[in-house]
Amino acid sequence: MSDRPRLLPLLGGTRHGSRDAMTCLYRCGNACDHPVPNPTDNPYFGDVVDTEISRRGVVRAGAVGALVLGFGGAAVGALAGAAPAAAAPAAPPVPGGGEVSPAGAGRPGGGALTFKPIPPNKLDTLVVPNGYDHSVVIRWGDEVVPGAPAFDLGRQTAAAQSKQFGYNNDFVGVLPIDRRRALLVVNHEYTNEDLMFPGFTGQDALTVEQVRVAMAAHGMSVVELERVENTGQWRPVRRGRREYNRRVTALATKFELTGPAAGSAWLRTAADPKGRTVIGTLNNCAGGVTPWGTVLSGEENFNQYFVGGDGAPEEQKPRLARYGIPTDVRHPSGSRKWERADERFDLARHPNEANRFGWIVEIDPFDPQAKPRKHTALGRFKHEGANVIVARNGRVVAYMGDDERFDYLYKFVSDKKFMPGKSSVARRHNLTLLESGTLYVAKIEGDSPAAEIDGSGTLPADGGFGGRGRWIKLASGNRSYVDGMTAADVLTFTRLAGDKVGATKMDRPEDVEPSLLTGKVYVALTNNSDRGKAGKAPADEANPRNSNKHGQILELVEDRGDNTGETFTWSLPIVCGDPADASTYFAGYDKTKVSPISCPDNVAFDATGNLWISTDGNALGSNDGLFATAVEGPERGHLKQFLTVPLGAETCGPFITGDNRSVFVAVQHPGEVTGASVENPASTWPDGDFAKPGVVVTWRLDGGPVGS
């Protein structure tokens, strides 16, 4: 009898949009097959293709795939026009070059989005607008560490994969070294053994070495890139020392724990009795680039890697359950059974090991010898990612979302202030900024009568969804603001702390990113089809539709423009879906002129302040894609689709370079469709044989700025 993992029925817009059952199995361990981890009763806010699509893009994508590159407007401190600085080991360049400006120091320019939007489609290729080109930068199995063996699908080893580009790339960051070179930093969120190993029949049938291959395919990659001539195209450097290239894996990389919870009883294990060193990072989803030239990475659905919850100590079971780890069975649905290769993933034997995942990770790509760190001061939950802004008073503020139905929105404010400049002293100081500070959770209220929010998405009488909110303190250093919990408790079991203080339950808050030009913060709320179901909370002003299949974008404006403050206003500039549907909203813009969008996941900004949105699980029947809109001025809400990814794939990243000449995206899980296998692929992107996740860069053929 086959032990092939049980695939759920095709979800088709019922829970995670149109996400396929295979994706549900491998990406989040069939999360929707398990009870919602948050049991509290906190308030809930809760054939035009032939003519419209670039012929050049379609033809080339089938042969070499698609590439999207960008030197990150909002993700980094300096923006368009700044000259990148030369790298030095003691003081690597600030991303984008130049100095970091405080939040709100600039004003959005007039970067009109002039590209012709592409139509929805189901093509097995990457599609870009006319006037653009694209190429694959790097794909699963390509060399990362110099001297890595050539990829051999039938003879994969953990040693080889530890030197090769990992699987299912998600977050993309590009940090310039000089005008012609940069470092690409990528997360590898999860593996799909169905599409990795020929003849796969189930997790139990894998050899231990194959399990170790999967562990090595998780983590992160750092790859040196070079510009192709004077275009917006980039490619890996394939010669010379490439001293920055490295792989970070779940298999062997050591991480240092920092902050108030480091060394606490919750983080100690038999292998690490001091509770300060963790092996590996798991399910790394989105992230962010810091103003001091490092990368943040969010550990998300780590729960699926652990078994033995039924054998964990009884007093720990409620905490495990709150983090999505079933405590009534040894092997939950979707279990990866990594305990076959490493016993620490068995909670019956090592119950604290799960507490060592779910953190924000910081990696210094300019120092290959530096140990990556897990920052406990930023709290532990299913981190989508973290994005940083320097507030007007110089303190660093990181915004974060907990990607779960009915979970919370957070921010962290550093104790120390950012030190500008490129000296080694400034760099050493800034590397400590995320080790101490105050962690907050959001409570949100609407400003319309409850009777006007009926679950249909109909706008209230004032013409928009909006209201006020406040940040509730959870912990600061070793001080807890939550009754009955120590600071170590709060930071290790942050979800429980949010429950206690009555935080607002949201519809899967994923990427949260501040605009460095305005200081305003944008939150991707992906979907929540459980809203309004029997026993679940109905729609409210921040989550205005029951059975919410398509999600929305929330705009948060801190009072007085102070990102360190404790009160804010909010609104929903975009309520996603088919523009022909009365329940959708695009900041009041003429809906006959906007592109349909479903399930926003990640957001980014270009150098002129336009908002770019990638999608995951499009419930409108099209492939996922990347969209852009102005967030200020008369074009606010004029959403246009910029690209689509291949069949079965998700659009991750995205990252736009500071010179606005390149857009990077990660094409995650192409061909991840129920019934697909290596021998019977649902997608052959990017090389025409079997599906391989990869990173793509897109640029304008005339060398101009992307989008405009």
Side-chain angles (χ1 to χ4, degrees):
M1 181 176 180
S2 171
D3 66 330
R4 194 177 188 86
R6 182 172 68 89
L7 297 177
L8 300 178
L10 185 64
L11 295 180
T14 58
R15 287 191 184 271
H16 285 180
S18 62
R19 182 183 286 177
D20 190 85
M22 182 182 281
T23 304
C24 288
L25 170 68
Y26 284 109
R27 184 172 183 185
C28 57
N30 285 338
C32 289
D33 198 31
H34 304 302
V36 173
N38 192 343
T40 65
D41 58 359
N42 296 350
Y44 289 77
F45 254 77
D47 296 290
V48 296
V49 170
D50 294 333
T51 58
E52 299 286 295
I53 293 175
S54 165
R55 182 177 301 277
R56 180 182 177 97
V58 171
V59 171
R60 292 204 58 195
V64 298
L67 175 78
V68 181
L69 168 71
F71 272 14
V76 299
L79 297 172
V94 174
E99 298 297 333
V100 175
S101 298
R107 288 291 179 267
L113 294 166
T114 60
F115 67 89
K116 190 172 184 178
I118 65 167
N121 65 83
K122 293 289 288 185
L123 300 175
D124 187 28
T125 188
L126 192 138
V127 180
V128 299
N130 284 311
Y132 287 79
D133 205 350
H134 58 281
S135 66
V136 174
V137 179
I138 193 166
R139 59 178 64 71
W140 172 47
D142 284 353
E143 177 187 85
V144 171
V145 178
F151 182 67
D152 186 336
L153 180 67
R155 297 182 179 179
Q156 298 178 61
T157 67
Q161 178 64 88
S162 296
K163 297 180 179 181
Q164 298 163 339
F165 195 69
Y167 203 76
N168 271 342
N169 32 229
D170 196 300
F171 168 77
V172 173
V174 184
L175 291 78
I177 297 173
D178 55 36
R179 289 186 182 278
R180 302 200 58 81
R181 296 183 302 145
L183 295 183
L184 171 72
V185 185
V186 179
N187 285 353
H188 300 293
E189 185 175 5
Y190 70 99
T191 52
N192 182 332
E193 286 76 356
D194 268 279
L195 304 182
M196 290 177 64
F197 299 111
F200 176 79
T201 59
Q203 300 290 350
D204 287 338
L206 292 175
T207 66
V208 171
E209 179 64 12
Q210 287 175 317
V211 175
R212 288 171 55 80
V213 168
M215 295 170 72
H218 284 67
M220 303 175 73
S221 291
V222 180
V223 181
E224 185 177 343
L225 301 182
E226 61 183 3
R227 186 186 293 274
V228 177
E229 298 175 343
N230 192 34
T231 71
Q233 182 181 5
W234 295 77
R235 65 191 174 200
V237 174
R238 293 301 187 197
R239 63 198 178 283
R241 293 178 59 194
R242 290 164 284 166
E243 58 185 323
Y244 299 125
N245 284 26
R246 73 191 283 199
R247 277 298 320 280
V248 171
T249 74
L251 183 65
T253 306
K254 291 183 178 180
F255 287 75
E256 176 189 356
L257 288 160
T258 77
S264 72
W266 300 121
L267 300 180
R268 299 173 193 160
T269 65
D272 178 30
K274 294 184 178 180
R276 294 188 175 273
T277 303
V278 180
I279 302 297
T281 186
L282 295 176
N283 212 262
N284 299 67
C285 196
V289 178
T290 70
W292 50 94
T294 63
V295 167
L296 305 181
S297 175
E299 296 183 320
E300 192 183 21
N301 293 301
F302 63 89
N303 55 300
Q304 64 179 301
Y305 299 88
F306 294 93
V307 305
D310 60 336
E314 289 299 317
E315 65 274 14
Q316 293 199 31
K317 287 184 177 181
R319 301 185 186 95
L320 293 172
R322 184 64 180 87
Y323 280 80
I325 299 175
T327 58
D328 56 349
V329 294
R330 175 164 175 76
H331 290 105
S333 170
S335 170
R336 293 176 173 274
K337 302 182 180 178
W338 278 12
E339 79 283 2
R340 297 176 56 223
D342 192 333
E343 70 172 41
R344 66 193 172 105
F345 293 100
D346 184 351
L347 298 178
R349 304 181 68 177
H350 303 281
N352 277 354
E353 188 67 27
N355 299 338
R356 292 148 66 85
F357 297 90
W359 303 100
I360 289 295
V361 169
E362 183 174 16
I363 181 174
D364 185 351
F366 292 100
D367 186 356
Q369 305 307 314
K371 186 182 293 185
R373 295 172 294 160
K374 298 190 180 190
H375 290 304
T376 68
L378 276 68
R380 174 176 166 267
F381 42 90
K382 289 188 179 181
H383 283 280
E384 172 75 12
N387 286 283
V388 167
I389 190 168
V390 179
R392 290 175 178 172
N393 65 5
R395 299 187 190 280
V396 164
V397 182
Y399 291 91
M400 303 168 286
D402 186 346
D403 183 11
E404 190 85 67
R405 293 165 288 161
F406 305 122
D407 255 297
Y408 309 138
L409 179 65
Y410 297 88
K411 84 171 179 181
F412 167 86
V413 179
S414 67
D415 286 337
K416 300 177 184 178
K417 294 184 178 182
F418 175 78
M419 183 180 294
K422 302 171 187 176
S423 69
S424 58
V425 172
R427 182 162 177 77
R428 284 195 300 270
H429 169 82
N430 292 333
L431 285 169
T432 68
L433 291 175
L434 302 182
E435 295 180 1
S436 63
T438 303
L439 182 64
Y440 298 83
V441 68
K443 188 174 182 65
I444 298 175
E445 297 176 349
D447 61 8
S448 300
E452 294 184 8
I453 309 299
D454 61 5
S456 69
T458 300
L459 291 172
D462 62 6
F465 300 110
R468 293 197 55 78
R470 62 187 178 95
W471 295 105
I472 304 173
K473 285 185 180 180
L474 296 178
S476 183
N478 289 315
R479 180 180 179 182
S480 168
Y481 295 95
V482 183
D483 289 343
M485 300 181 76
T486 66
D489 295 342
V490 168
L491 298 174
T492 309
F493 307 110
T494 310
R495 283 182 165 181
L496 293 168
D499 297 344
K500 278 179 169 284
V501 301
T504 296
K505 296 182 176 182
M506 305 296 287
D507 284 356
R508 292 186 61 203
E510 296 211 39
D511 206 12
V512 187
E513 186 149 348
S515 166
L516 299 189
L517 292 181
T518 67
K520 297 178 182 179
V521 181
Y522 294 83
V523 184
L525 297 167
T526 299
N527 55 39
N528 185 353
S529 57
D530 275 3
R531 187 166 290 278
K533 287 186 176 179
K536 308 291 184 182
D540 55 46
E541 193 154 0
N543 307 277
R545 293 177 295 189
N546 290 328
S547 301
N548 179 16
K549 296 188 297 183
H550 302 300
Q552 59 265 15
I553 300 292
L554 184 145
E555 181 183 74
L556 187 155
V557 182
E558 302 273 21
D559 287 349
R560 298 174 299 282
D562 180 6
N563 291 89
T564 69
E566 297 185 1
T567 56
F568 57 87
T569 59
W570 66 269
S571 63
L572 298 181
I574 297 177
V575 180
C576 300
D578 186 342
D581 185 336
S583 72
T584 59
Y585 179 70
F586 294 85
Y589 201 86
D590 182 353
K591 293 202 297 180
T592 66
K593 298 179 180 180
V594 305
S595 296
I597 181 173
S598 177
C599 301
D601 188 348
N602 298 121
V603 295
F605 294 91
D606 61 27
T608 60
N610 293 313
L611 178 69
W612 295 67
I613 306 168
S614 64
T615 65
D616 168 21
N618 190 330
L620 293 172
S622 171
N623 288 353
D624 278 311
L626 179 64
F627 302 75
T629 181
V631 290
E632 306 285 342
E635 288 293 291
R636 174 177 164 91
H638 188 185
L639 186 81
K640 293 182 174 184
Q641 182 155 14
F642 181 75
L643 63 76
T644 52
V645 292
L647 191 68
E650 171 191 347
T651 315
C652 297
F655 193 93
I656 300 90
T657 53
D659 61 7
N660 252 30
R661 295 181 64 194
S662 312
V663 176
F664 283 93
V665 295
V667 177
Q668 190 184 87
H669 60 74
E672 196 165 67
V673 176
T674 299
S677 63
V678 174
E679 297 82 1
N680 181 36
S683 170
T684 59
W685 187 88
D687 299 318
D689 45 10
F690 56 93
K692 307 178 192 75
V695 175
V696 174
V697 65
T698 295
W699 65 97
R700 266 176 58 163
L701 291 170
D702 64 5
V706 295
S708 58

